[in-house]
């Protein structure tokens, strides 16, 4: 039976609690998964042995080889971002691996051992996860599992923001905050793919160099200079047509000042706070600006399926081109046993690109 690293009382509503009761059966197949007993810091992440999920109708069971971290994971660990109703309480929004089991009623031609990657509403920090087939994508043959795991959540988020929400057009200037993050590095490359002109903000010269290497036309160190002035200098005073913003409250005045008339400010995170004080509405009205807000995790399965399909048509083939037009950026990799250190690394805001966790499934039987 897989080694259990720590014991305790399960407090997760669905996954760990209900799964543990089922494990009394000696016939249950087990897996390792990261659980959270009490919301808190990285030390609250606990690796345990729990029953493996069984694919429902329309689902595919994935043997997870790698999972990637997202800022939402840190919020969920702290109890601030619960999963949608009915979804796994296990943290993790994107994985890559191989098909291990098939539910009934599948429409695709998935086969055992197919290399796949998937967008999840939860469940990624585990050796196995069951996912609706609509959220499954073939992993490009030229990418490792670690590289493939860095694609689904980050790249689909960036694609959604640019295409579904902002409806970016060729030649438009796109200001990307956190330009060296997972979503940021994806957004820079996708903006270029769609004929737009990305400019970025980041907190170090090293991060700006990475973004510029990926295609950013300009970069601004928000710790040392005014990105407002930089954007206006770059655009000849016009401002950015689109702003992709994961910062929120602390940046609102600078964002409005950077926005072009009739521009679109797309908010998808609030790392800089949620509160706004001042004449936000008047300033936006004077710009005829649009504030567009979007989250991906809480979207319907149909919305996500449409997104996966559109991404598969317009972007996914570019990862397999020679040379590749698009590429995931990996900052670092950790073992599943070291998940707490991976979280600390992200919380310190040191990463450039994606932080990936390697997962090696243990014995097939409990």
């Amino acid at each position: 039976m897989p080694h259990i690293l720590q014991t305790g009382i399960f407090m997760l509503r669905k996954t760990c609690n209900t799964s543990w009761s089922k494990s009394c059966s000696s016939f249950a197949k087990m897996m390792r998964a990261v659980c959270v007993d009490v919301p808190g810091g990285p030390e609250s992440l606990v690796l345990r042995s729990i029953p493996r999920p069984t694919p429902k109708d329309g689902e595919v069971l994935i043997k997870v080889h790698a999972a990637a971290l997202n800022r939402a994971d840190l919020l969920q660990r702290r109890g601030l971002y619960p999963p949608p109703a009915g979804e796994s309480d296990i943290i993790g929004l994107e994985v890559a691996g191989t098909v291990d089991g098939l539910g009934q009623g599948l429409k695709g031609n998935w086969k055992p051992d197919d290399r796949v990657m998937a967008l999840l509403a939860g469940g990624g920090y585990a050796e196995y996860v069951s996912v609706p087939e609509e959220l499954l994508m073939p992993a490009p043959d030229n990418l490792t599992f670690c590289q493939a795991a860095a694609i689904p959540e980050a790249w689909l988020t960036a694609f959604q923001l640019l295409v579904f929400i902002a409806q970016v057009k060729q030649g438009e200037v796109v200001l990307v905050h956190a330009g060296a993050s997972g979503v940021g590095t994806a957004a820079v490359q996708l903006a270029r793919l769609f004929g737009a002109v990305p400019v970025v903000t980041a907190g170090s010269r090293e991060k700006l160099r990475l973004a510029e290497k990926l295609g950013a036309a300009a970069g601004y160190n928000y710790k040392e200079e005014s990105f407002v002035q930089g954007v206006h200098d770059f655009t000849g005073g016009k401002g950015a047509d689109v702003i992709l913003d994961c910062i929120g409250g602390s940046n609102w005045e600078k964002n409005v000042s950077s926005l072009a008339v009739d521009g679109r400010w797309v908010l998808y995170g609030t790392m800089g706070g949620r509160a706004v004080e001042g004449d936000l509405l008047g300033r936006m009205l004077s710009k005829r600006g649009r504030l567009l807000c979007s989250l991906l995790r809480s979207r319907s399965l149909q919305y996500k399926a449409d997104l996966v399909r559109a991404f598969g048509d317009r972007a996914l083939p570019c990862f397999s081109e020679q040379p590749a037009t698009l590429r995931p950026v990996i900052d670092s990799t950790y073992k599943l046993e070291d998940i707490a250190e991976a979280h600390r690394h992200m919380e310190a805001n040191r990463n450039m690109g994606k932080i990936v966790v390697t997962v090696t499934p243990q014995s097939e039987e409990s």
Side-chain angles (χ1 to χ4, degrees), residues 215-229:
Y220 314 106
N221 186 336
Y222 63 84
K223 296 180 179 179
E224 299 178 352
E225 61 185 318
S226 168
F227 69 79
V228 177
Q229 187 62 50

Side-chain angles (χ1 to χ4, degrees), residues 115-139:
R115 285 168 43 90
V116 294
M117 54 190 186
L119 176 69
L120 309 173
Y125 291 8
E127 292 180 325
Y128 294 85
V129 65
S130 192
V131 59
E133 68 168 326
E134 294 94 334
L135 307 185
L136 211 58
M137 295 176 282

Side-chain angles (χ1 to χ4, degrees), residues 53-64 87 93 95 98-99 101-103 106 110 116-122 128-137 301 304 308:
T54 300
K56 301 175 184 177
D57 288 356
E59 292 186 343
V60 173
L61 182 67
I62 300 174
K63 180 187 292 185
V64 178
E87 300 293 348
L93 301 177
V95 298
T98 54
V99 173
L102 303 171
L106 296 176
W110 306 108
V116 294
M117 54 190 186
L119 176 69
L120 309 173
Y128 294 85
V129 65
S130 192
V131 59
E133 68 168 326
E134 294 94 334
L135 307 185
L136 211 58
M137 295 176 282
L301 177 58
K304 293 177 182 178
V308 168

